[in-house]
Amino acid sequence: MSGSSDRSAPRSGADNDDGAGGKPSGVVTLELKDGAAMGEDIGSSPDGPSDPVQETAPAMEQRHFQVNHPDSKQFRKEFCSNSVTTSQFTVCTFLPKFLVYAFTKLANFYFLVVAVLQTIPSISQTQGLPTILPMLVIMVSVEGVLAAVEDCRRHEADDIANNSPCQIWDPSSQSFQPAVWSQVRVGQIVKLVQGDQIPCDVVILGVHEEDPSRPSGECYVETKSLDGETSLKQRQAVEVTSAVIKADADVGLISGSMNTEMPNEKLNTFNGTFAVEIDGQRSQVAVELPQVLLRGSSIQLTKHAYGLAFYTGHDTKVMMNSQSPTIKQSTIDQQINRMLLFVLFAMWSCCLIGGVGGAIFDALGDGDNWYLGVYYNTDKSLGFGHYTLDAILDFFSYWILMSSFVSISLVVSMVLVKAFQVYFMQANLHMYQEETDTPMKVRTMNLNDDLGVISYILSDKTGTLTDNVMQFRKCTVRGKLYGLGQTEIGRARLRRISQGAPKPEEEQEEEVNMEASRHVDFKDPMFQSARESCHGEEHSTEVEAFVRAMSVCHSAIRMARDANMAPPSTLTQPTVQIHAAEHGELSAASPDELALVEAASFFGRVFLKRAKGIMSVAQGDEIHQFQVLNELAVSYTHLTLPTKRIV
């Protein structure tokens, strides 16, 4: 981000805050390597575009729809409704789908085969009655009841989501009418209220403006339900429509059509064109990801906004990324299947030995061993030989006799244990959040065994498994290092090279300093001396420009605070505390950005707010304003660029 000169006079004094060389105050320019400034087009050259981001993508299939015409046949046939389903079964499909799942378990399938074998009189020892069938029915029935209960809970969650309230623009009454999420259709305009989740993927047409005469079209969105990030992200309404929509009644002035790419699972990209018609004047604008809000996110710091639905239901990006409902097996179930295979192979080996041994005994016998009760098969008409048939029949007879190798009671016990686990986990007070009245909910009983089981640990950054807090401790200005004390990495290095850890009094001093500021742990008298021109006017100007850059080159925002709450503990100076109490807490996209902005506040330059492209920074009793000229937002595209392109 780069800012221009101060725009307003200070409240007291006449400090123009000018930089060296007569440059306007507050000018901070971020440069790219090879001397390319932020305002230059680094992706173009005489030989053509070289930036991979600017390469022309191949033509993709698009879909077209009209704005505010959701009752046409096109919408009913081509676009799905906004109703979503995450359940696995319905009343009609429960029995066949569950039976298929139940007998994919090796134990269930094994006992089913044994029950079938028991009905064959020639090999059965139970007169053709499947004696194991009642226990198998009980076992499968218990699993079915538990699966039905779990799926009912999913149906309840789906009903809550599909019947969540929202407001949809009604062209006939020229007003917003109350509705539910499942009634939203592609092409309708939805009113989004602060704090509520967004019902579908929408394009931002306008936002509530504090000063309608100077619309900015800016709003902030929280996407923690999508990517787990609690920091707010800035979004921008379509410029043509945001300048027109100042109240609910102005939504009726918007008409036109929109072309979008086909629904896909890519959360970080979107391309579309919006042909807007306002009071008979048509204009076509490009729509990209900064103008889009995704289902499941929520707007913040904005009273309300207006969005045009373009993806609904299972076409939304978040639903495209979700897997289709499947019946899952736990790790223990998979291990049991492998162990059962080993047991079955051992049992089949015994059956094979018994069958072959019986055939050999049959072949060698002469019929005189009447006391054994053996009735020899003397039928010679079978083509493959009666001894082979005897071996096969004996094999299956021994299988039925040794079917207890696999204990059916063990399988039933495991199912009942999982059912009791669900009860105790959901009734556990240690897993209950009193503030939000949220108990633990078990949605898939089969996965109870996998709780707490860790096979791999994948950590892409600090915060996945830690507190996700960065501290500002050291800095360099023009090659000169400032900041005393050791970082955690420095302490570990000293221990590795056997130079000893910091002295107890040094550790105690650092702990005291850390308590004063959670995001800033900086102590160096030389830094303040450098700011006061003790090391030369030129170096003092550079140090001051460094602090000013930290206060304006960021995307952080101030969130509203309760007036009765104490100021944040991260700010230590009295004047800074006053400004923080007035303008709220900081919210940044990353912990390192938050640490840099808090460090600027620690050094006396407090970021207050941003509005309409203007950033306000307090220094003592003075307020300076900086105009945002450009912003390089961190995105997936930038993260995948070659490292030589961006500093």
Side-chain angles (χ1 to χ4, degrees):
M1 177 186 295
S2 62
S4 69
S5 59
D6 285 330
R7 292 174 55 88
S8 65
R11 290 189 295 180
S12 64
D15 182 12
N16 293 325
D17 202 21
D18 290 343
K23 292 182 180 180
S25 63
V27 175
V28 181
T29 303
L30 296 182
E31 294 186 351
L32 306 177
K33 286 187 177 180
D34 302 330
M38 218 166 59
E40 299 174 359
D41 183 5
I42 65 173
S44 60
S45 64
D47 298 330
S50 61
D51 193 334
V53 179
Q54 302 296 331
E55 293 179 359
T56 303
M60 298 180 62
E61 184 181 0
Q62 292 187 336
R63 66 178 187 177
H64 175 84
F65 61 88
Q66 298 291 326
V67 177
N68 273 336
H69 292 280
D71 296 328
S72 63
K73 295 182 179 179
Q74 173 198 19
F75 286 82
R76 291 195 295 269
K77 293 182 178 180
E78 296 184 11
F79 308 134
C80 66
S81 68
N82 200 39
S83 178
V84 298
T85 302
T86 61
S87 57
Q88 299 171 350
F89 310 112
T90 63
V91 175
C92 298
T93 63
F94 174 77
L95 188 60
K97 291 182 67 174
F98 172 74
L99 289 178
V100 170
Y101 158 71
F103 290 106
T104 56
K105 291 184 176 181
L106 186 57
N108 292 348
F109 183 74
Y110 167 77
F111 291 119
L112 178 63
V113 173
V114 172
V116 172
L117 293 177
Q118 287 181 335
T119 61
I120 303 176
S122 60
I123 61 175
S124 174
Q125 295 84 30
T126 60
Q127 290 76 43
L129 298 176
T131 57
I132 201 172
L133 186 61
M135 185 60 71
L136 178 62
V137 171
I138 293 175
M139 181 174 64
V140 174
S141 299
V142 171
E143 293 183 7
V145 170
L146 296 176
V149 171
E150 287 182 355
D151 207 59
C152 285
R153 293 173 183 165
R154 296 190 185 96
H155 278 285
E156 292 175 358
D158 292 342
D159 291 339
I160 292 175
N162 293 330
N163 293 306
S164 298
C166 64
Q167 299 182 58
I168 302 175
W169 177 257
D170 183 10
S172 60
S173 63
Q174 291 292 299
S175 64
F176 282 98
Q177 299 296 327
V180 295
W181 281 21
S182 59
Q183 296 176 334
V184 179
R185 296 292 183 268
V186 173
Q188 287 184 322
I189 298 178
V190 184
K191 186 175 183 180
L192 312 170
V193 181
Q194 178 179 355
D196 292 344
Q197 285 197 336
I198 299 171
C200 58
D201 294 351
V202 300
V203 175
I204 311 172
L205 299 181
V207 299
H208 172 75
E209 303 283 358
E210 296 294 337
D211 185 4
S213 62
R214 298 180 58 189
S216 64
E218 295 178 354
C219 69
Y220 295 89
V221 60
E222 185 180 64
T223 60
K224 64 181 180 181
S225 61
L226 303 179
D227 53 19
E229 297 289 343
T230 57
S231 58
L232 301 183
K233 299 176 177 60
Q234 184 176 350
R235 292 292 184 263
Q236 183 71 40
V238 177
E239 185 175 358
V240 177
T241 57
S242 63
V244 175
I245 300 178
K246 298 180 174 61
D248 291 357
D250 298 331
V251 175
L253 303 175
I254 306 297
S255 62
S257 62
M258 187 172 183
N259 293 323
T260 67
E261 59 189 13
M262 298 302 292
N264 58 74
E265 71 281 0
K266 298 178 181 178
L267 295 174
N268 301 298
T269 61
F270 177 78
N271 290 294
T273 56
F274 187 16
V276 189
E277 182 174 349
I278 303 176
D279 293 335
Q281 297 182 355
R282 295 183 61 88
S283 60
Q284 185 166 315
V285 295
V287 179
E288 297 180 344
L289 189 63
Q291 287 86 40
V292 169
L293 298 176
L294 301 182
R295 178 189 175 108
S297 56
S298 60
I299 60 171
Q300 301 292 337
L301 304 183
T302 305
K303 189 174 180 180
H304 59 261
Y306 306 97
L308 172 63
F310 62 91
Y311 291 155
T312 55
H314 290 277
D315 286 344
T316 58
K317 290 183 177 291
V318 64
M319 294 303 297
M320 294 285 288
N321 276 274
S322 63
Q323 298 179 352
S324 59
T326 57
I327 302 177
K328 304 174 183 177
Q329 282 189 336
S330 66
T331 305
I332 289 186
D333 288 336
Q334 297 172 5
Q335 291 177 349
I336 289 176
N337 286 343
R338 290 192 292 267
M339 294 177 182
L340 282 178
L341 283 175
F342 176 79
V343 173
L344 290 177
F345 278 121
M347 185 194 71
W348 288 334
S349 300
C350 295
C351 295
L352 182 62
I353 293 173
V356 173
I360 294 174
F361 186 82
D362 189 5
L364 298 178
D366 54 4
D368 295 335
N369 301 324
W370 56 268
Y371 52 86
L372 295 179
V374 178
Y375 298 94
Y376 299 97
N377 188 350
T378 59
D379 186 3
K380 307 293 184 179
S381 62
L382 296 176
F384 56 83
H386 66 282
Y387 299 122
T388 304
L389 177 61
D390 288 343
I392 295 175
L393 294 178
D394 288 344
F395 174 84
F396 286 106
S397 296
Y398 282 118
W399 185 349
I400 297 174
L401 288 173
M402 291 186 285
S403 61
S404 58
F405 264 54
V406 179
S407 174
I408 192 171
S409 61
L410 175 62
V411 180
V412 176
S413 299
M414 291 183 58
V415 174
L416 294 178
V417 166
K418 289 183 179 181
F420 282 109
Q421 282 179 341
V422 171
Y423 170 76
F424 286 116
M425 284 191 294
Q426 295 186 153
N428 194 342
L429 291 178
H430 294 289
M431 307 184 78
Y432 170 74
Q433 188 177 31
E434 186 176 0
E435 293 79 6
T436 58
D437 190 24
T438 305
M440 178 185 180
K441 295 181 179 179
V442 179
R443 300 194 65 183
T444 305
M445 183 187 68
N446 294 332
L447 300 182
N448 290 354
D449 312 320
D450 288 338
L451 290 177
V453 178
I454 299 176
S455 300
Y456 304 96
I457 297 178
L458 303 177
S459 178
D460 60 339
K461 62 178 181 178
T462 302
T464 306
L465 299 174
T466 60
D467 194 24
N468 203 16
V469 174
M470 295 286 186
Q471 281 191 329
F472 184 90
R473 292 194 177 208
K474 295 176 182 290
C475 64
T476 58
V477 181
R478 198 73 179 201
K480 184 173 178 58
L481 177 64
Y482 295 99
L484 304 177
Q486 292 287 348
T487 62
E488 294 295 335
I489 297 177
R491 295 191 189 99
R493 176 178 175 274
L494 290 177
R495 285 191 292 267
R496 284 198 305 269
I497 62 179
S498 301
Q499 292 186 3
K503 297 179 180 180
E505 56 269 16
E506 293 178 355
E507 291 182 346
Q508 182 178 2
E509 181 180 353
E510 288 187 5
E511 290 176 1
V512 172
N513 196 25
M514 289 173 63
E515 290 178 1
S517 172
R518 189 182 184 207
H519 299 283
V520 181
D521 186 17
F522 185 87
K523 184 178 181 181
D524 192 345
M526 297 298 294
F527 188 81
Q528 187 62 28
S529 300
R531 297 184 66 187
E532 296 173 356
S533 303
C534 295
H535 299 280
E537 184 68 28
E538 181 178 359
H539 189 70
S540 174
T541 303
E542 292 169 347
V543 172
E544 193 64 29
F546 169 77
V547 177
R548 183 170 60 243
M550 288 196 299
S551 66
V552 297
C553 292
H554 58 82
S555 59
I557 60 174
R558 288 280 182 186
M559 299 182 64
R561 269 180 78 84
D562 189 349
N564 298 324
M565 295 178 64
S569 60
T570 54
L571 307 176
T572 58
Q573 301 180 15
T575 304
V576 173
Q577 289 181 350
I578 295 174
H579 292 313
E582 292 177 352
H583 296 276
E585 289 187 84
L586 277 172
S587 175
S590 62
D592 48 350
E593 183 180 55
L594 180 61
L596 293 174
V597 181
E598 293 283 20
S601 301
F602 182 81
F603 297 138
R605 281 185 171 267
V606 186
F607 166 67
L608 300 180
K609 63 178 180 178
R610 65 171 69 232
K612 304 177 182 64
I614 304 298
M615 301 181 66
S616 300
V617 178
Q619 184 176 18
D621 293 331
E622 303 171 353
I623 301 294
H624 302 277
Q625 292 184 335
F626 300 84
Q627 182 180 5
V628 179
L629 300 180
N630 194 12
E631 182 174 351
L632 292 178
V634 178
S635 66
Y636 175 80
T637 304
H638 291 147
L639 294 177
T640 55
L641 283 174
T643 55
K644 66 180 182 179
R645 302 305 303 274
I646 292 183
V647 177

